[in-house]
Amino acid sequence: MTVQASVDCSAMTGNEHIELVEKYAAHNYHPLPVVVKSAKGVWVEDVDGKKYMDMLAAYSAVNFGHGNEELLDVARAQLDKVTLTSRAFHNDQLGPLCTELAELCGMEMVLPMNTGAEAVETAIKTARRWGYKVKGVPEGKAKIICCSENFHGRTTTIVSFSTDESCREGFGPFTPGFEIVPYGDIDALRGAIDENTVAFLVEPIQGEAGIIVPPAGYLEQVRQLCTERKVLFIADEIQSGLGRCGTTFCIEHEGVRPDIFTLGKALGGGIMPISAVVSSREILGVFTPGSHGSTFGGNPLACAIARKVVEILKTGKYQDHAKQLGQYLFDKLSGLTGDKVELVRGRGLWFGIQVAASAGPARKYCEMLRDEGMLCKDTHAQVMRLAPPLTISKDEVDWAFDRLQKVLA
Ligand SMILES: *Cc1c(COP(=O)(O)O)cnc(C)c1O
């Protein structure tokens, strides 16, 4: 076998790139056939020179826009200083990030990891250990309650409590210790809690399920119930948090605070993967040296960028923008309901457009929009998800709406 030193991609077309991916990359995604080579703000450009508006923002990891200069400046400066120390030594970005992020969350301690799934795994370990050490649950008996149609990541343990068979098929045996209740159903949660229940893990809005907003008052009732029964309320704000919903955290819409936040995606400014578990001293205090870790977790490059993300969020600028433009777009989108669009739901700049089954799958409309110069992604067959970078302007929102109207009206 002859091995080329590297692929010369300077003159390759989009189709040639896609062929390479088809042949050499595992087929664990079904992407729209667009090959991006550069991006700025809400716009991306493909290898064939065509421009598209990005209405997905990497599942909200790019909340602050592609090529955000403030974030890039911090990243560039940190690249020249130090990028990785491991936690075997301290670095001068970790302490400041933990302090600033804890304060942003109104919490006391932070455990940094890299991906969202790792943050969720860490939250599960936290809750279990808290259950044994603080709540007094008998060893090996801890139960965590999750919701139907949840999405919390892709590890073996996390898919153990997924209700989406396509995430699970062929990956067993699964991790025990989880129970599923219907999302938005407070009575079902009340009925499922027993003396060994350590946590309730929930998305304040279910993202991958199709931007499912729970009934008003649900999260407030969850808060009350969890406090009464001494169960940790874990809010997975990996996708809903950090500005997306028009507030720093989606859960603020009901004026409550969880016991544990899991954060990720936008925390790394679309530049570095960084995630975190944020909680109280009582809860995160269960970790002792050697009990958990990550080689890249808390690395100074990611921490420096995340510090800037926290600083940007502290101004409230993007939250306000998402709230205002979100309402503006929501009102316009609501006018699209008719033969093809059954329902539009969402909060802030995050929308699910429910496409009628009779109008065909949502992917068909995502492909039509791609031809119109706009990128968005279907989820769960009948839902189109819109989540533009929060830097989008009113003119750009109007531009996007015109395309949506053309395709969906
Ligand atoms: C994306 C997501 C995750 C997983 O994050 P990864 O970085 O892909 O591992 C977990 N929870 C929620 C709510 C998410 O949207």
Side-chain angles (χ1 to χ4, degrees), residues 32-58 62 65-67 369-370 372-376 387-389 391 396 399:
L32 286 179
V34 172
V35 181
V36 174
K37 71 157 189 228
S38 65
K40 193 73 189 170
V42 301
W43 298 94
V44 304
E45 188 175 334
D46 75 5
V47 291
D48 303 315
K50 192 169 176 209
K51 283 197 163 191
Y52 305 85
M53 183 182 284
D54 178 2
M55 286 295 264
L56 181 65
V62 187
H66 292 280
L369 283 166
R370 179 218 40 204
E372 297 291 329
M374 192 178 127
L375 301 180
C376 61
T391 56
E396 287 164 335
W399 187 96

mmCIF file of all heavy atoms in Angstrom, residues 32-58 62 65-67 369-370 372-376 387-389 391 396 399:
data_model
loop_
_atom_site.group_PDB
_atom_site.id
_atom_site.type_symbol
_atom_site.label_atom_id
_atom_site.label_comp_id
_atom_site.label_asym_id
_atom_site.label_seq_id
_atom_site.Cartn_x
_atom_site.Cartn_y
_atom_site.Cartn_z
ATOM 1 N N LEU A 32 -25.649 17.589 5.806
ATOM 2 C CA LEU A 32 -26.052 18.194 4.541
ATOM 3 C C LEU A 32 -24.794 18.289 3.677
ATOM 4 O O LEU A 32 -23.693 18.523 4.202
ATOM 5 C CB LEU A 32 -26.622 19.598 4.761
ATOM 6 C CG LEU A 32 -28.016 19.704 5.362
ATOM 7 C CD1 LEU A 32 -28.390 21.176 5.529
ATOM 8 C CD2 LEU A 32 -29.061 19.003 4.501
ATOM 9 N N PRO A 33 -24.904 18.113 2.370
ATOM 10 C CA PRO A 33 -23.719 18.122 1.507
ATOM 11 C C PRO A 33 -23.173 19.529 1.247
ATOM 12 O O PRO A 33 -23.291 20.063 0.151
ATOM 13 C CB PRO A 33 -24.215 17.457 0.218
ATOM 14 C CG PRO A 33 -25.684 17.649 0.211
ATOM 15 C CD PRO A 33 -26.135 17.757 1.625
ATOM 16 N N VAL A 34 -22.586 20.125 2.274
ATOM 17 C CA VAL A 34 -21.946 21.433 2.173
ATOM 18 C C VAL A 34 -20.584 21.291 2.835
ATOM 19 O O VAL A 34 -20.498 20.781 3.949
ATOM 20 C CB VAL A 34 -22.768 22.517 2.911
ATOM 21 C CG1 VAL A 34 -22.008 23.827 2.979
ATOM 22 C CG2 VAL A 34 -24.125 22.707 2.249
ATOM 23 N N VAL A 35 -19.524 21.723 2.153
ATOM 24 C CA VAL A 35 -18.173 21.586 2.708
ATOM 25 C C VAL A 35 -17.638 22.985 3.019
ATOM 26 O O VAL A 35 -17.232 23.723 2.126
ATOM 27 C CB VAL A 35 -17.237 20.849 1.717
ATOM 28 C CG1 VAL A 35 -15.844 20.698 2.306
ATOM 29 C CG2 VAL A 35 -17.819 19.490 1.357
ATOM 30 N N VAL A 36 -17.634 23.320 4.285
ATOM 31 C CA VAL A 36 -17.273 24.677 4.703
ATOM 32 C C VAL A 36 -15.760 24.829 4.748
ATOM 33 O O VAL A 36 -15.046 23.950 5.230
ATOM 34 C CB VAL A 36 -17.876 24.966 6.098
ATOM 35 C CG1 VAL A 36 -17.401 26.312 6.628
ATOM 36 C CG2 VAL A 36 -19.402 24.916 6.041
ATOM 37 N N LYS A 37 -15.279 25.950 4.232
ATOM 38 C CA LYS A 37 -13.841 26.207 4.348
ATOM 39 C C LYS A 37 -13.537 27.459 5.157
ATOM 40 O O LYS A 37 -12.426 27.640 5.646
ATOM 41 C CB LYS A 37 -13.171 26.278 2.971
ATOM 42 C CG LYS A 37 -13.528 27.496 2.179
ATOM 43 C CD LYS A 37 -12.469 27.816 1.118
ATOM 44 C CE LYS A 37 -12.775 29.170 0.512
ATOM 45 N NZ LYS A 37 -12.762 29.231 -0.932
ATOM 46 N N SER A 38 -14.492 28.365 5.304
ATOM 47 C CA SER A 38 -14.253 29.549 6.130
ATOM 48 C C SER A 38 -15.578 30.092 6.631
ATOM 49 O O SER A 38 -16.645 29.738 6.116
ATOM 50 C CB SER A 38 -13.492 30.612 5.335
ATOM 51 O OG SER A 38 -14.288 31.069 4.263
ATOM 52 N N ALA A 39 -15.504 30.939 7.647
ATOM 53 C CA ALA A 39 -16.734 31.476 8.233
ATOM 54 C C ALA A 39 -16.444 32.774 8.956
ATOM 55 O O ALA A 39 -15.337 32.985 9.470
ATOM 56 C CB ALA A 39 -17.336 30.466 9.202
ATOM 57 N N LYS A 40 -17.450 33.649 8.985
ATOM 58 C CA LYS A 40 -17.348 34.910 9.732
ATOM 59 C C LYS A 40 -18.738 35.329 10.168
ATOM 60 O O LYS A 40 -19.646 35.395 9.331
ATOM 61 C CB LYS A 40 -16.719 35.987 8.833
ATOM 62 C CG LYS A 40 -16.284 37.228 9.569
ATOM 63 C CD LYS A 40 -15.032 36.952 10.377
ATOM 64 C CE LYS A 40 -14.693 38.109 11.291
ATOM 65 N NZ LYS A 40 -13.626 37.771 12.251
ATOM 66 N N GLY A 41 -18.899 35.616 11.434
ATOM 67 C CA GLY A 41 -20.207 36.040 11.929
ATOM 68 C C GLY A 41 -21.237 34.938 11.762
ATOM 69 O O GLY A 41 -21.057 33.835 12.261
ATOM 70 N N VAL A 42 -22.322 35.229 11.023
ATOM 71 C CA VAL A 42 -23.345 34.207 10.802
ATOM 72 C C VAL A 42 -23.181 33.531 9.441
ATOM 73 O O VAL A 42 -24.005 32.698 9.055
ATOM 74 C CB VAL A 42 -24.787 34.786 10.913
ATOM 75 C CG1 VAL A 42 -25.010 35.404 12.277
ATOM 76 C CG2 VAL A 42 -25.073 35.800 9.815
ATOM 77 N N TRP A 43 -22.131 33.881 8.724
ATOM 78 C CA TRP A 43 -21.966 33.372 7.363
ATOM 79 C C TRP A 43 -20.840 32.361 7.266
ATOM 80 O O TRP A 43 -19.786 32.527 7.875
ATOM 81 C CB TRP A 43 -21.688 34.534 6.400
ATOM 82 C CG TRP A 43 -22.832 35.498 6.349
ATOM 83 C CD1 TRP A 43 -22.973 36.645 7.083
ATOM 84 C CD2 TRP A 43 -24.028 35.359 5.572
ATOM 85 N NE1 TRP A 43 -24.179 37.243 6.809
ATOM 86 C CE2 TRP A 43 -24.854 36.479 5.877
ATOM 87 C CE3 TRP A 43 -24.473 34.413 4.638
ATOM 88 C CZ2 TRP A 43 -26.101 36.664 5.284
ATOM 89 C CZ3 TRP A 43 -25.718 34.602 4.051
ATOM 90 C CH2 TRP A 43 -26.513 35.719 4.374
ATOM 91 N N VAL A 44 -21.067 31.314 6.461
ATOM 92 C CA VAL A 44 -20.003 30.367 6.153
ATOM 93 C C VAL A 44 -19.847 30.305 4.640
ATOM 94 O O VAL A 44 -20.786 30.587 3.897
ATOM 95 C CB VAL A 44 -20.288 28.944 6.709
ATOM 96 C CG1 VAL A 44 -20.524 28.978 8.210
ATOM 97 C CG2 VAL A 44 -21.458 28.279 6.000
ATOM 98 N N GLU A 45 -18.651 29.950 4.207
ATOM 99 C CA GLU A 45 -18.408 29.829 2.766
ATOM 100 C C GLU A 45 -17.900 28.430 2.472
ATOM 101 O O GLU A 45 -17.064 27.894 3.223
ATOM 102 C CB GLU A 45 -17.371 30.876 2.326
ATOM 103 C CG GLU A 45 -17.213 30.936 0.822
ATOM 104 C CD GLU A 45 -16.265 32.052 0.358
ATOM 105 O OE1 GLU A 45 -16.106 33.058 1.088
ATOM 106 O OE2 GLU A 45 -15.689 31.883 -0.727
ATOM 107 N N ASP A 46 -18.383 27.827 1.393
ATOM 108 C CA ASP A 46 -17.948 26.465 1.081
ATOM 109 C C ASP A 46 -16.772 26.471 0.102
ATOM 110 O O ASP A 46 -16.364 27.524 -0.397
ATOM 111 C CB ASP A 46 -19.127 25.587 0.621
ATOM 112 C CG ASP A 46 -19.588 25.881 -0.807
ATOM 113 O OD1 ASP A 46 -18.951 26.701 -1.506
ATOM 114 O OD2 ASP A 46 -20.600 25.276 -1.212
ATOM 115 N N VAL A 47 -16.229 25.285 -0.128
ATOM 116 C CA VAL A 47 -15.014 25.182 -0.956
ATOM 117 C C VAL A 47 -15.269 25.588 -2.406
ATOM 118 O O VAL A 47 -14.328 25.866 -3.143
ATOM 119 C CB VAL A 47 -14.404 23.759 -0.924
ATOM 120 C CG1 VAL A 47 -13.828 23.455 0.449
ATOM 121 C CG2 VAL A 47 -15.418 22.697 -1.334
ATOM 122 N N ASP A 48 -16.543 25.610 -2.800
ATOM 123 C CA ASP A 48 -16.858 26.035 -4.168
ATOM 124 C C ASP A 48 -17.175 27.533 -4.245
ATOM 125 O O ASP A 48 -17.589 28.034 -5.292
ATOM 126 C CB ASP A 48 -18.031 25.200 -4.706
ATOM 127 C CG ASP A 48 -17.726 23.700 -4.660
ATOM 128 O OD1 ASP A 48 -16.602 23.318 -5.056
ATOM 129 O OD2 ASP A 48 -18.576 22.924 -4.201
ATOM 130 N N GLY A 49 -17.006 28.233 -3.108
ATOM 131 C CA GLY A 49 -17.173 29.691 -3.107
ATOM 132 C C GLY A 49 -18.588 30.166 -2.842
ATOM 133 O O GLY A 49 -18.878 31.355 -2.932
ATOM 134 N N LYS A 50 -19.471 29.239 -2.479
ATOM 135 C CA LYS A 50 -20.864 29.647 -2.204
ATOM 136 C C LYS A 50 -21.029 30.011 -0.722
ATOM 137 O O LYS A 50 -20.478 29.347 0.151
ATOM 138 C CB LYS A 50 -21.819 28.513 -2.592
ATOM 139 C CG LYS A 50 -23.252 28.980 -2.615
ATOM 140 C CD LYS A 50 -24.215 27.970 -3.242
ATOM 141 C CE LYS A 50 -25.627 28.558 -3.087
ATOM 142 N NZ LYS A 50 -26.699 27.650 -2.993
ATOM 143 N N LYS A 51 -21.807 31.082 -0.474
ATOM 144 C CA LYS A 51 -22.018 31.533 0.912
ATOM 145 C C LYS A 51 -23.368 31.082 1.433
ATOM 146 O O LYS A 51 -24.351 31.052 0.690
ATOM 147 C CB LYS A 51 -21.948 33.058 0.970
ATOM 148 C CG LYS A 51 -20.531 33.592 0.920
ATOM 149 C CD LYS A 51 -20.498 35.027 1.400
ATOM 150 C CE LYS A 51 -19.063 35.415 1.747
ATOM 151 N NZ LYS A 51 -18.992 36.685 2.439
ATOM 152 N N TYR A 52 -23.395 30.771 2.712
ATOM 153 C CA TYR A 52 -24.632 30.354 3.368
ATOM 154 C C TYR A 52 -24.745 31.047 4.721
ATOM 155 O O TYR A 52 -23.730 31.284 5.388
ATOM 156 C CB TYR A 52 -24.622 28.846 3.664
ATOM 157 C CG TYR A 52 -24.361 27.963 2.484
ATOM 158 C CD1 TYR A 52 -23.054 27.672 2.082
ATOM 159 C CD2 TYR A 52 -25.421 27.385 1.791
ATOM 160 C CE1 TYR A 52 -22.807 26.832 1.010
ATOM 161 C CE2 TYR A 52 -25.183 26.536 0.712
ATOM 162 C CZ TYR A 52 -23.874 26.268 0.328
ATOM 163 O OH TYR A 52 -23.638 25.437 -0.728
ATOM 164 N N MET A 53 -25.988 31.285 5.127
ATOM 165 C CA MET A 53 -26.199 31.729 6.500
ATOM 166 C C MET A 53 -26.261 30.492 7.392
ATOM 167 O O MET A 53 -26.965 29.525 7.092
ATOM 168 C CB MET A 53 -27.496 32.524 6.629
ATOM 169 C CG MET A 53 -27.683 33.063 8.033
ATOM 170 S SD MET A 53 -29.236 33.946 8.234
ATOM 171 C CE MET A 53 -28.846 35.480 7.415
ATOM 172 N N ASP A 54 -25.535 30.534 8.492
ATOM 173 C CA ASP A 54 -25.495 29.398 9.416
ATOM 174 C C ASP A 54 -26.607 29.551 10.446
ATOM 175 O O ASP A 54 -26.519 30.371 11.358
ATOM 176 C CB ASP A 54 -24.122 29.377 10.109
ATOM 177 C CG ASP A 54 -24.007 28.257 11.122
ATOM 178 O OD1 ASP A 54 -24.954 27.464 11.267
ATOM 179 O OD2 ASP A 54 -22.946 28.185 11.776
ATOM 180 N N MET A 55 -27.653 28.783 10.298
ATOM 181 C CA MET A 55 -28.785 28.857 11.247
ATOM 182 C C MET A 55 -28.743 27.694 12.238
ATOM 183 O O MET A 55 -29.775 27.332 12.810
ATOM 184 C CB MET A 55 -30.118 28.860 10.486
ATOM 185 C CG MET A 55 -30.402 30.180 9.814
ATOM 186 S SD MET A 55 -30.639 31.531 11.011
ATOM 187 C CE MET A 55 -32.408 31.549 11.132
ATOM 188 N N LEU A 56 -27.567 27.117 12.447
ATOM 189 C CA LEU A 56 -27.435 26.032 13.426
ATOM 190 C C LEU A 56 -26.401 26.387 14.493
ATOM 191 O O LEU A 56 -26.545 26.013 15.652
ATOM 192 C CB LEU A 56 -27.036 24.727 12.719
ATOM 193 C CG LEU A 56 -26.895 23.513 13.628
ATOM 194 C CD1 LEU A 56 -28.242 23.128 14.245
ATOM 195 C CD2 LEU A 56 -26.297 22.331 12.890
ATOM 196 N N ALA A 57 -25.349 27.134 14.068
ATOM 197 C CA ALA A 57 -24.308 27.562 15.003
ATOM 198 C C ALA A 57 -23.700 26.393 15.768
ATOM 199 O O ALA A 57 -23.486 26.465 16.984
ATOM 200 C CB ALA A 57 -24.853 28.632 15.967
ATOM 201 N N ALA A 58 -23.430 25.289 15.014
ATOM 202 C CA ALA A 58 -22.805 24.110 15.631
ATOM 203 C C ALA A 58 -23.544 23.702 16.902
ATOM 204 O O ALA A 58 -22.952 23.515 17.963
ATOM 205 C CB ALA A 58 -21.322 24.338 15.901
ATOM 206 N N VAL A 62 -21.478 27.898 18.713
ATOM 207 C CA VAL A 62 -20.976 29.126 18.101
ATOM 208 C C VAL A 62 -21.938 30.289 18.400
ATOM 209 O O VAL A 62 -22.237 31.108 17.531
ATOM 210 C CB VAL A 62 -20.731 28.928 16.581
ATOM 211 C CG1 VAL A 62 -20.048 30.139 15.962
ATOM 212 C CG2 VAL A 62 -19.848 27.714 16.317
ATOM 213 N N GLY A 65 -20.824 33.828 17.381
ATOM 214 C CA GLY A 65 -20.478 34.069 15.991
ATOM 215 C C GLY A 65 -19.165 33.402 15.590
ATOM 216 O O GLY A 65 -18.270 33.200 16.397
ATOM 217 N N HIS A 66 -19.069 33.081 14.314
ATOM 218 C CA HIS A 66 -17.823 32.546 13.772
ATOM 219 C C HIS A 66 -16.771 33.648 13.767
ATOM 220 O O HIS A 66 -17.068 34.803 13.458
ATOM 221 C CB HIS A 66 -18.025 32.058 12.333
ATOM 222 C CG HIS A 66 -18.909 30.856 12.221
ATOM 223 N ND1 HIS A 66 -18.458 29.581 12.477
ATOM 224 C CD2 HIS A 66 -20.216 30.733 11.881
ATOM 225 C CE1 HIS A 66 -19.452 28.719 12.287
ATOM 226 N NE2 HIS A 66 -20.530 29.393 11.927
ATOM 227 N N GLY A 67 -15.549 33.273 14.080
ATOM 228 C CA GLY A 67 -14.441 34.221 13.992
ATOM 229 C C GLY A 67 -14.627 35.444 14.868
ATOM 230 O O GLY A 67 -14.229 36.551 14.494
ATOM 231 N N LEU A 369 -33.601 24.758 1.734
ATOM 232 C CA LEU A 369 -33.025 25.990 2.286
ATOM 233 C C LEU A 369 -31.538 26.102 1.960
ATOM 234 O O LEU A 369 -31.030 27.197 1.725
ATOM 235 C CB LEU A 369 -33.251 26.043 3.799
ATOM 236 C CG LEU A 369 -34.680 26.436 4.192
ATOM 237 C CD1 LEU A 369 -34.926 26.144 5.662
ATOM 238 C CD2 LEU A 369 -34.957 27.913 3.888
ATOM 239 N N ARG A 370 -30.876 24.959 1.967
ATOM 240 C CA ARG A 370 -29.459 24.982 1.576
ATOM 241 C C ARG A 370 -29.327 25.545 0.159
ATOM 242 O O ARG A 370 -28.465 26.372 -0.116
ATOM 243 C CB ARG A 370 -28.865 23.572 1.652
ATOM 244 C CG ARG A 370 -27.409 23.527 1.242
ATOM 245 C CD ARG A 370 -27.059 22.291 0.446
ATOM 246 N NE ARG A 370 -28.075 21.916 -0.509
ATOM 247 C CZ ARG A 370 -28.248 20.697 -0.978
ATOM 248 N NH1 ARG A 370 -27.450 19.732 -0.591
ATOM 249 N NH2 ARG A 370 -29.203 20.424 -1.853
ATOM 250 N N GLU A 372 -31.179 27.635 -1.095
ATOM 251 C CA GLU A 372 -31.465 29.071 -0.981
ATOM 252 C C GLU A 372 -30.362 29.823 -0.230
ATOM 253 O O GLU A 372 -30.481 31.019 0.034
ATOM 254 C CB GLU A 372 -32.784 29.288 -0.230
ATOM 255 C CG GLU A 372 -34.005 28.711 -0.930
ATOM 256 C CD GLU A 372 -34.359 29.473 -2.205
ATOM 257 O OE1 GLU A 372 -34.112 30.689 -2.253
ATOM 258 O OE2 GLU A 372 -34.847 28.834 -3.153
ATOM 259 N N GLY A 373 -29.333 29.092 0.225
ATOM 260 C CA GLY A 373 -28.218 29.745 0.908
ATOM 261 C C GLY A 373 -28.358 29.826 2.415
ATOM 262 O O GLY A 373 -27.780 30.700 3.061
ATOM 263 N N MET A 374 -29.092 28.891 2.982
ATOM 264 C CA MET A 374 -29.276 28.912 4.432
ATOM 265 C C MET A 374 -29.122 27.503 4.994
ATOM 266 O O MET A 374 -29.684 26.555 4.456
ATOM 267 C CB MET A 374 -30.688 29.421 4.717
ATOM 268 C CG MET A 374 -30.918 29.762 6.152
ATOM 269 S SD MET A 374 -32.601 30.402 6.307
ATOM 270 C CE MET A 374 -33.137 29.320 7.580
ATOM 271 N N LEU A 375 -28.331 27.373 6.081
ATOM 272 C CA LEU A 375 -28.073 26.053 6.650
ATOM 273 C C LEU A 375 -28.810 25.872 7.966
ATOM 274 O O LEU A 375 -28.617 26.638 8.905
ATOM 275 C CB LEU A 375 -26.575 25.856 6.892
ATOM 276 C CG LEU A 375 -25.668 25.968 5.662
ATOM 277 C CD1 LEU A 375 -24.207 25.755 6.063
ATOM 278 C CD2 LEU A 375 -26.073 24.965 4.576
ATOM 279 N N CYS A 376 -29.673 24.863 8.013
ATOM 280 C CA CYS A 376 -30.255 24.467 9.296
ATOM 281 C C CYS A 376 -30.383 22.952 9.283
ATOM 282 O O CYS A 376 -30.068 22.304 8.294
ATOM 283 C CB CYS A 376 -31.581 25.158 9.566
ATOM 284 S SG CYS A 376 -32.855 24.809 8.370
ATOM 285 N N ALA A 387 -31.143 27.859 15.138
ATOM 286 C CA ALA A 387 -30.352 28.376 16.264
ATOM 287 C C ALA A 387 -29.175 29.167 15.696
ATOM 288 O O ALA A 387 -28.042 28.704 15.703
ATOM 289 C CB ALA A 387 -29.856 27.227 17.147
ATOM 290 N N PRO A 388 -29.439 30.363 15.183
ATOM 291 C CA PRO A 388 -28.355 31.139 14.571
ATOM 292 C C PRO A 388 -27.373 31.637 15.626
ATOM 293 O O PRO A 388 -27.731 31.696 16.809
ATOM 294 C CB PRO A 388 -29.097 32.326 13.952
ATOM 295 C CG PRO A 388 -30.309 32.502 14.810
ATOM 296 C CD PRO A 388 -30.712 31.113 15.221
ATOM 297 N N PRO A 389 -26.168 32.013 15.210
ATOM 298 C CA PRO A 389 -25.298 32.710 16.159
ATOM 299 C C PRO A 389 -26.054 33.915 16.724
ATOM 300 O O PRO A 389 -26.825 34.555 15.997
ATOM 301 C CB PRO A 389 -24.114 33.159 15.290
ATOM 302 C CG PRO A 389 -24.072 32.175 14.168
ATOM 303 C CD PRO A 389 -25.520 31.845 13.891
ATOM 304 N N THR A 391 -25.147 36.688 17.286
ATOM 305 C CA THR A 391 -24.651 37.933 16.697
ATOM 306 C C THR A 391 -25.485 38.346 15.483
ATOM 307 O O THR A 391 -25.218 39.382 14.879
ATOM 308 C CB THR A 391 -23.183 37.770 16.234
ATOM 309 O OG1 THR A 391 -23.139 36.657 15.316
ATOM 310 C CG2 THR A 391 -22.262 37.466 17.402
ATOM 311 N N GLU A 396 -30.407 40.385 8.889
ATOM 312 C CA GLU A 396 -30.112 38.976 8.599
ATOM 313 C C GLU A 396 -31.285 38.078 9.000
ATOM 314 O O GLU A 396 -31.583 37.088 8.327
ATOM 315 C CB GLU A 396 -28.814 38.555 9.310
ATOM 316 C CG GLU A 396 -27.578 39.163 8.635
ATOM 317 C CD GLU A 396 -26.304 39.110 9.473
ATOM 318 O OE1 GLU A 396 -26.373 39.046 10.721
ATOM 319 O OE2 GLU A 396 -25.211 39.137 8.868
ATOM 320 N N TRP A 399 -33.710 38.379 6.281
ATOM 321 C CA TRP A 399 -33.213 37.612 5.136
ATOM 322 C C TRP A 399 -33.554 36.132 5.316
ATOM 323 O O TRP A 399 -34.036 35.470 4.399
ATOM 324 C CB TRP A 399 -31.690 37.820 5.036
ATOM 325 C CG TRP A 399 -31.021 37.241 3.834
ATOM 326 C CD1 TRP A 399 -30.709 37.892 2.674
ATOM 327 C CD2 TRP A 399 -30.539 35.898 3.675
ATOM 328 N NE1 TRP A 399 -30.079 37.034 1.806
ATOM 329 C CE2 TRP A 399 -29.959 35.804 2.391
ATOM 330 C CE3 TRP A 399 -30.548 34.763 4.477
ATOM 331 C CZ2 TRP A 399 -29.394 34.627 1.899
ATOM 332 C CZ3 TRP A 399 -29.995 33.575 3.992
ATOM 333 C CH2 TRP A 399 -29.428 33.525 2.716
#
